[in-house]
Amino acid sequence: MKPQLTLGVSLKMYFGYQQTLEWSRQIADIVRRHPVIREGQVELFVFPSLPAIAGTLEAFRGTSVSVGAQNMFWEDAGAYTGEVSGTMLREMGCGYVEIGHAERRRYFSETDKQIADKTTAALRNALIPVICIGEAQRCTAAQAIEQAVDQAQQALAPAEKQGLHGDAILAYEPQWAIGAKEPASADFIGEVCEGLAARLAENAHGARRVIYGGSAGPGLLTQLGSRTGGLFLGRFSHQPAAYKAILDEAFTLLLSPANRS
């Protein structure tokens, strides 16, 4: 059965090594028992810090949770001290990689070209890129859609020109909402995500799933309903109980008459 919802988690640099592994084991236990997983309608992935990837892969072995990296380099090999290639990530067993987060742009001055090169490298190595897009300042939903579509197309166009086909996840994260006490409203998020999904599906070289990730936490999935393809979770998922609550929401949502019809 094709997944109807995507739920991803980035741990950023909040956890230590052992804390990451303990969290992963607790989440793995929740996932093994949860009824929404048996339905096969939810796609799950986790991005730990780079040194913890191997241990996290082991913790989630035998579950439906995929593991990926929070960043990667655009070349597959070479004299690039401190970087990690998509080739190595794939060899380790990763299936996803996060690309272009606003913090990478802000703190490391990542450019549109670098993000596009990383996206190309991800698809070249059969990794699903989770491409972060979103406007810097508050604006109308129509303006947000145009800016996000432009960012997504810039990231994906070079790979498509090379004939690289593959799925991609677009994580809509309005930069002004990341970590905000008052995030974007559900109506605004829903309108933008629906508009993005419709626009990005046109002439796509693979599935284009749109999820929301600007301070997303428990309760938001219920408010959004079918207007988004899922959530990209941050600090709100650091407590296993909160993660389970979001899985519970997904289960209730997917069992609703509108989704069963």
Side-chain angles (χ1 to χ4, degrees):
M1 183 180 294
K2 184 179 179 181
Q4 294 186 36
L5 282 175
T6 298
L7 298 176
V9 175
S10 175
L11 296 178
K12 299 195 177 185
M13 206 180 72
Y14 285 113
F15 287 0
Y17 182 79
Q18 292 299 333
Q19 188 178 8
T20 300
L21 300 189
E22 179 57 29
W23 179 89
S24 298
R25 287 189 284 264
Q26 291 181 53
I27 298 300
D29 188 53
I30 290 170
V31 167
R32 288 189 185 97
R33 301 179 182 187
H34 205 282
V36 76
I37 306 306
R38 292 195 294 271
E39 293 285 321
Q41 295 178 279
V42 178
E43 170 187 31
L44 304 173
F45 63 83
V46 171
F47 294 147
S49 293
L50 182 61
I53 287 178
T56 304
L57 281 162
E58 182 60 33
F60 285 112
R61 189 180 302 279
T63 74
S64 59
V65 180
S66 294
V67 177
Q70 297 175 21
N71 186 36
M72 61 172 287
F73 196 60
W74 54 80
E75 296 289 350
D76 293 343
Y80 304 106
T81 302
E83 295 295 333
V84 61
S85 71
T87 303
M88 179 179 284
L89 292 174
R90 188 65 189 177
E91 182 183 359
M92 292 179 71
C94 292
Y96 298 71
V97 62
E98 183 178 5
I99 295 174
H101 193 279
E103 291 162 358
R104 298 291 309 177
R105 289 179 176 270
R106 183 183 309 125
Y107 300 130
F108 302 102
S109 302
E110 285 194 359
T111 65
D112 291 339
K113 183 181 185 305
Q114 290 172 335
I115 290 166
D117 288 344
K118 290 181 180 186
T119 300
T120 300
L123 292 170
R124 185 171 64 240
N125 286 284
L127 296 167
I128 295 176
V130 179
I131 306 166
C132 299
I133 54 178
E135 71 278 8
Q137 304 295 329
R138 283 182 181 265
C139 59
T140 66
Q143 292 170 329
I145 291 169
E146 290 303 319
Q147 291 184 52
V149 167
D150 182 62
Q151 292 168 11
Q153 291 176 339
Q154 286 188 61
L156 288 160
E160 292 175 348
K161 287 180 181 178
Q162 294 181 31
L164 292 170
H165 294 193
D167 295 350
I169 295 172
L170 289 307
Y172 172 58
E173 298 188 335
Q175 296 176 35
W176 53 268
I178 298 173
K181 293 182 179 179
E182 295 183 10
S185 70
D187 286 340
F188 179 87
I189 296 167
E191 184 176 349
V192 175
C193 286
E194 282 186 315
L196 276 173
R199 291 279 299 277
L200 295 175
E202 300 171 0
N203 304 314
H205 291 222
R208 300 288 181 258
R209 299 185 289 283
V210 177
I211 62 178
Y212 179 72
S215 297
L220 182 57
L221 194 60
T222 300
Q223 295 178 57
L224 292 174
S226 61
R227 291 177 292 174
T228 181
L231 299 177
F232 191 23
L233 305 164
R235 66 187 187 277
F236 291 112
S237 63
H238 292 178
Q239 295 298 322
Y243 186 88
K244 180 182 179 300
I246 294 168
L247 288 183
D248 292 343
E249 283 186 72
F251 185 61
T252 300
L253 181 63
L254 292 171
L255 282 175
S256 69
N259 284 292
R260 284 295 188 180
S261 59

